[in-house]
Coordinates of all heavy atoms in Angstrom, one line a residue:
Chain B
L971 N 223.9 331.7 268.2 CA 224.7 331.3 269.4 C 226.1 330.7 268.9 O 227.1 331.1 269.4 CB 223.9 330.2 270.2 CG 222.7 330.6 270.8 CD1 221.9 329.4 271.4 CD2 222.9 331.6 272.0
Y972 N 225.9 329.7 268.0 CA 227.1 328.9 267.6 C 228.1 329.8 266.9 O 229.3 329.8 267.1 CB 226.7 327.8 266.8 CG 227.8 326.9 266.4 CD1 228.4 326.0 267.3 CD2 228.3 326.9 265.1 CE1 229.5 325.2 266.9 CE2 229.4 326.1 264.7 CZ 229.9 325.2 265.6 OH 231.0 324.4 265.2
N973 N 227.6 330.5 265.9 CA 228.6 331.3 265.1 C 229.3 332.4 265.9 O 230.3 332.9 265.4 CB 227.9 332.0 263.9 CG 227.3 330.9 262.9 OD1 227.7 329.7 263.1 ND2 226.4 331.3 262.0
N974 N 228.7 332.8 267.0 CA 229.4 333.8 267.8 C 230.0 333.2 269.0 O 230.4 333.9 270.0 CB 228.3 334.8 268.3 CG 227.9 335.6 267.1 OD1 228.6 336.3 266.5 ND2 226.6 335.5 266.8
N975 N 230.3 331.9 269.0 CA 231.0 331.2 270.1 C 230.4 331.5 271.4 O 231.1 331.8 272.4 CB 232.5 331.6 270.1 CG 233.1 331.3 268.8 OD1 233.0 330.1 268.3 ND2 233.7 332.3 268.2
D976 N 229.1 331.6 271.4 CA 228.4 331.9 272.7 C 228.5 330.8 273.7 O 228.2 329.7 273.3 CB 226.9 332.2 272.3 CG 226.2 332.9 273.5 OD1 226.4 332.6 274.6 OD2 225.4 333.9 273.2
P977 N 229.0 331.1 274.8 CA 229.2 330.0 275.8 C 227.8 329.3 276.2 O 227.8 328.3 276.8 CB 229.8 330.7 277.0 CG 229.6 332.1 276.8 CD 229.5 332.4 275.4
R978 N 226.8 330.0 275.8 CA 225.4 329.5 276.1 C 225.0 328.4 275.1 O 224.1 327.7 275.4 CB 224.4 330.6 276.1 CG 224.5 331.5 277.4 CD 223.6 332.7 277.2 NE 224.2 333.7 276.3 CZ 223.7 334.9 276.1 NH1 222.8 335.4 276.8 NH2 224.3 335.7 275.2
T979 N 225.8 328.3 274.0 CA 225.4 327.4 273.0 C 225.1 326.0 273.5 O 224.0 325.4 273.4 CB 226.5 327.3 271.9 OG1 226.8 328.6 271.4 CG2 226.0 326.5 270.7
K980 N 226.1 325.4 274.1 CA 226.0 324.0 274.6 C 225.1 324.0 275.9 O 224.8 322.9 276.3 CB 227.4 323.4 274.8 CG 228.1 323.1 273.5 CD 229.3 322.4 273.8 CE 230.3 322.3 272.7 NZ 231.6 321.6 273.1
R981 N 224.9 325.1 276.5 CA 224.0 325.1 277.7 C 222.6 325.0 277.2 O 221.7 324.3 277.9 CB 224.2 326.3 278.6 CG 225.3 326.0 279.6 CD 226.5 326.9 279.4 NE 227.5 326.8 280.4 CZ 228.8 326.9 280.1 NH1 229.2 327.2 278.9 NH2 229.7 326.9 281.1
L982 N 222.3 325.7 276.2 CA 220.9 325.6 275.6 C 220.6 324.6 274.7 O 219.5 324.0 274.7 CB 220.6 327.0 275.0 CG 220.4 328.2 275.8 CD1 220.6 329.5 275.1 CD2 219.0 328.2 276.4
C983 N 221.6 324.3 273.8 CA 221.3 323.3 272.7 C 222.2 322.1 272.9 O 223.4 322.2 273.2 CB 221.7 323.9 271.4 SG 221.2 325.6 271.2
R984 N 221.6 320.9 272.8 CA 222.4 319.7 272.9 C 221.9 318.7 271.8 O 220.9 318.9 271.1 CB 222.1 318.9 274.2 CG 222.2 319.8 275.5 CD 223.6 320.2 275.8 NE 224.5 319.1 276.1 CZ 225.8 319.2 276.3 NH1 226.3 320.5 276.5 NH2 226.6 318.2 276.5
F985 N 222.9 317.7 271.5 CA 222.5 316.7 270.5 C 222.3 315.4 271.4 O 223.2 315.0 272.1 CB 223.7 316.6 269.6 CG 223.8 317.7 268.7 CD1 224.5 318.9 269.1 CD2 223.2 317.8 267.4 CE1 224.7 320.0 268.3 CE2 223.4 318.9 266.6 CZ 224.1 320.0 267.0
Y986 N 221.1 314.8 271.1 CA 220.8 313.7 271.9 C 220.3 312.5 271.1 O 219.6 312.7 270.0 CB 219.5 314.0 272.8 CG 219.7 315.0 274.0 CD1 219.1 316.2 273.9 CD2 220.6 314.7 275.0 CE1 219.2 317.1 275.0 CE2 220.7 315.6 276.1 CZ 220.1 316.8 276.0 OH 220.2 317.6 277.1
I987 N 220.7 311.3 271.4 CA 220.1 310.1 270.8 C 219.0 309.7 271.8 O 219.2 309.5 273.0 CB 221.1 308.9 270.7 CG1 222.2 309.3 269.7 CG2 220.4 307.7 270.3 CD1 223.4 308.4 269.6
D988 N 217.7 309.8 271.3 CA 216.6 309.6 272.1 C 216.0 308.2 272.1 O 214.9 307.9 272.6 CB 215.5 310.6 271.7 CG 215.8 312.0 272.1 OD1 216.7 312.1 273.0 OD2 215.3 312.9 271.6
D989 N 216.7 307.2 271.4 CA 216.1 305.9 271.2 C 215.9 305.2 272.6 O 214.9 304.4 272.7 CB 217.1 305.0 270.4 CG 217.1 305.5 269.0 OD1 217.2 306.7 268.8 OD2 217.0 304.7 268.1
Y990 N 216.6 305.5 273.6 CA 216.5 304.9 274.9 C 215.9 305.7 275.9 O 216.0 305.6 277.1 CB 217.8 304.2 275.3 CG 218.4 303.4 274.2 CD1 219.4 303.9 273.4 CD2 217.9 302.1 274.0 CE1 219.9 303.1 272.3 CE2 218.4 301.4 272.9 CZ 219.4 301.9 272.1 OH 219.9 301.1 271.1
M991 N 215.2 306.8 275.5 CA 214.7 307.8 276.4 C 213.5 307.3 277.1 O 212.6 306.6 276.6 CB 214.3 309.0 275.5 CG 213.9 310.2 276.3 SD 213.4 311.5 275.1 CE 213.1 312.9 276.1
S992 N 213.5 307.7 278.4 CA 212.3 307.4 279.2 C 211.1 308.1 278.6 O 211.2 309.2 278.0 CB 212.5 307.8 280.6 OG 211.3 308.2 281.2
I993 N 209.9 307.6 278.8 CA 208.7 308.1 278.2 C 208.2 309.4 279.0 O 207.5 310.2 278.5 CB 207.6 307.1 278.1 CG1 206.6 307.3 277.1 CG2 207.0 306.8 279.5 CD1 205.8 306.1 276.8
S994 N 208.7 309.5 280.3 CA 208.2 310.6 281.1 C 209.2 311.6 281.6 O 208.9 312.5 282.3 CB 207.3 310.1 282.2 OG 208.0 309.1 283.0
T995 N 210.5 311.2 281.4 CA 211.5 312.2 281.8 C 212.6 312.2 280.8 O 212.5 311.4 279.9 CB 212.2 311.7 283.2 OG1 212.9 310.5 282.9 CG2 211.2 311.5 284.3
G996 N 213.6 313.1 280.9 CA 214.7 313.2 280.0 C 215.7 312.0 280.2 O 216.7 311.9 279.4
D997 N 215.4 311.1 281.2 CA 216.4 310.0 281.4 C 216.6 309.2 280.2 O 215.6 308.9 279.5 CB 215.9 309.2 282.6 CG 215.8 310.0 283.9 OD1 216.3 311.1 283.9 OD2 215.3 309.4 284.8
G998 N 217.8 308.6 280.1 CA 218.0 307.7 279.0 C 218.4 308.3 277.7 O 218.8 307.6 276.7
R999 N 218.4 309.7 277.6 CA 218.9 310.3 276.4 C 220.4 310.2 276.4 O 221.1 310.3 277.4 CB 218.5 311.8 276.4 CG 217.1 312.2 276.3 CD 216.9 313.7 276.3 NE 216.3 314.0 275.0 CZ 215.9 315.3 274.8 NH1 216.2 316.3 275.6 NH2 215.2 315.6 273.6
I1000 N 220.9 309.9 275.2 CA 222.4 309.7 275.2 C 222.9 311.1 274.6 O 222.5 311.4 273.4 CB 222.8 308.6 274.3 CG1 222.2 307.3 274.9 CG2 224.3 308.5 274.2 CD1 222.3 306.1 274.1
D1001 N 223.7 311.8 275.3 CA 224.2 313.1 274.9 C 225.4 312.9 274.1 O 226.4 312.3 274.5 CB 224.5 313.9 276.2 CG 224.7 315.3 275.8 OD1 225.4 315.6 274.8 OD2 224.3 316.2 276.6
V1002 N 225.4 313.4 272.8 CA 226.5 313.2 271.9 C 226.9 314.6 271.4 O 227.6 314.7 270.4 CB 226.1 312.3 270.7 CG1 226.0 310.9 271.1 CG2 224.8 312.8 270.0
T1003 N 226.7 315.6 272.2 CA 226.9 317.0 271.8 C 228.3 317.3 271.4 O 228.6 317.8 270.2 CB 226.5 318.0 272.9 OG1 225.2 317.6 273.3 CG2 226.5 319.4 272.4
D1004 N 229.2 316.9 272.3 CA 230.6 317.2 272.0 C 231.1 316.5 270.7 O 231.9 317.1 269.9 CB 231.5 316.9 273.2 CG 231.2 317.8 274.4 OD1 230.7 318.9 274.1 OD2 231.3 317.4 275.5
A1005 N 230.7 315.2 270.6 CA 231.2 314.4 269.5 C 230.6 315.0 268.2 O 231.3 315.1 267.2 CB 230.7 313.0 269.7
V1006 N 229.4 315.4 268.2 CA 228.8 315.9 267.0 C 229.5 317.2 266.6 O 229.9 317.4 265.4 CB 227.3 316.1 267.2 CG1 226.7 316.9 266.0 CG2 226.5 314.8 267.3
I1007 N 229.6 318.1 267.6 CA 230.1 319.4 267.2 C 231.6 319.3 266.8 O 232.0 319.9 265.8 CB 229.9 320.4 268.4 CG1 228.4 320.7 268.6 CG2 230.7 321.7 268.1 CD1 228.1 321.6 269.7
S1008 N 232.4 318.6 267.6 CA 233.8 318.5 267.1 C 234.0 317.8 265.8 O 234.9 318.2 265.1 CB 234.6 317.8 268.3 OG 234.1 316.5 268.4
T1009 N 233.1 316.8 265.6 CA 233.3 316.2 264.3 C 232.9 317.1 263.1 O 233.6 317.1 262.1 CB 232.4 314.9 264.2 OG1 232.8 314.0 265.3 CG2 232.6 314.2 262.9
Q1010 N 231.9 317.9 263.4 CA 231.5 318.9 262.4 C 232.7 319.9 262.1 O 233.0 320.2 261.0 CB 230.3 319.6 262.8 CG 229.8 320.8 261.8 CD 229.3 320.2 260.4 OE1 228.2 319.8 260.3 NE2 230.2 320.2 259.4
E1011 N 233.3 320.3 263.2 CA 234.4 321.3 263.1 C 235.5 320.6 262.4 O 236.2 321.3 261.6 CB 234.7 321.8 264.5 CG 233.7 322.8 264.9 CD 233.7 323.1 266.4 OE1 234.6 322.6 267.1 OE2 233.0 324.0 266.9
A1012 N 235.8 319.4 262.6 CA 236.9 318.7 262.0 C 236.6 318.4 260.5 O 237.6 318.2 259.7 CB 237.2 317.4 262.7
N1013 N 235.3 318.3 260.2 CA 235.0 318.0 258.8 C 234.1 319.0 258.2 O 232.9 318.8 258.0 CB 234.3 316.6 258.7 CG 235.2 315.5 259.3 OD1 236.0 314.9 258.5 ND2 235.1 315.2 260.5
P1014 N 234.6 320.2 258.0 CA 233.7 321.4 257.7 C 233.0 321.1 256.3 O 231.9 321.7 256.1 CB 234.6 322.6 257.6 CG 236.0 322.1 257.6 CD 236.0 320.6 258.1
S1015 N 233.5 320.2 255.5 CA 232.8 320.0 254.2 C 231.7 319.0 254.3 O 231.0 318.8 253.3 CB 233.8 319.7 253.2 OG 234.4 318.4 253.5
S1016 N 231.7 318.2 255.4 CA 230.6 317.2 255.5 C 229.4 317.8 256.2 O 229.5 318.7 257.0 CB 231.2 316.0 256.3 OG 232.2 315.4 255.6
D1017 N 228.2 317.2 255.9 CA 227.0 317.5 256.6 C 227.0 316.6 257.9 O 226.7 315.4 257.8 CB 225.8 317.2 255.8 CG 225.5 318.3 254.9 OD1 226.0 319.5 255.2 OD2 224.8 318.1 253.8
V1018 N 227.4 317.2 259.0 CA 227.2 316.5 260.3 C 226.0 317.0 261.0 O 225.0 316.3 261.3 CB 228.5 316.6 261.1 CG1 228.3 315.8 262.4 CG2 229.7 316.0 260.4
I1019 N 226.1 318.3 261.3 CA 224.9 318.9 262.0 C 223.9 319.3 260.9 O 224.2 320.0 259.9 CB 225.4 320.2 262.7 CG1 226.4 319.8 263.8 CG2 224.2 321.0 263.3 CD1 227.0 321.0 264.6
Y1020 N 222.6 318.9 261.2 CA 221.5 319.3 260.4 C 220.7 320.4 261.1 O 220.2 320.2 262.2 CB 220.6 318.1 260.0 CG 221.2 317.3 259.0 CD1 222.3 316.4 259.3 CD2 220.8 317.3 257.6 CE1 222.8 315.6 258.3 CE2 221.4 316.5 256.7 CZ 222.4 315.6 257.0 OH 223.0 314.8 256.1
K1021 N 220.6 321.6 260.4 CA 219.8 322.6 261.0 C 218.5 322.8 260.4 O 218.3 322.4 259.2 CB 220.6 323.9 260.9 CG 221.9 323.9 261.7 CD 222.8 325.1 261.4 CE 223.5 325.0 260.1 NZ 224.6 326.0 260.0
I1022 N 217.5 323.2 261.2 CA 216.2 323.4 260.7 C 215.9 324.8 260.4 O 215.8 325.6 261.3 CB 215.2 322.8 261.7 CG1 215.4 321.3 261.9 CG2 213.7 323.0 261.2 CD1 214.8 320.7 263.2

Side-chain angles (χ1 to χ4, degrees):
Chain B
L971 295 172
Y972 180 76
N973 294 348
N974 291 298
N975 303 308
D976 194 318
R978 286 169 290 192
T979 310
K980 288 188 192 175
R981 271 110 177 153
L982 285 162
C983 319
R984 307 294 297 182
F985 294 82
Y986 293 115
I987 292 171
D988 287 342
D989 293 44
Y990 307 99
M991 184 183 189
S992 147
I993 204 164
S994 55
T995 69
D997 296 352
R999 292 182 122 177
I1000 301 170
D1001 192 320
V1002 290
T1003 311
D1004 292 333
V1006 168
I1007 293 179
S1008 63
T1009 304
Q1010 177 68 79
E1011 283 166 357
N1013 300 274
S1015 62
S1016 299
D1017 277 338
V1018 179
I1019 295 173
Y1020 282 78
K1021 293 174 283 191
I1022 298 164

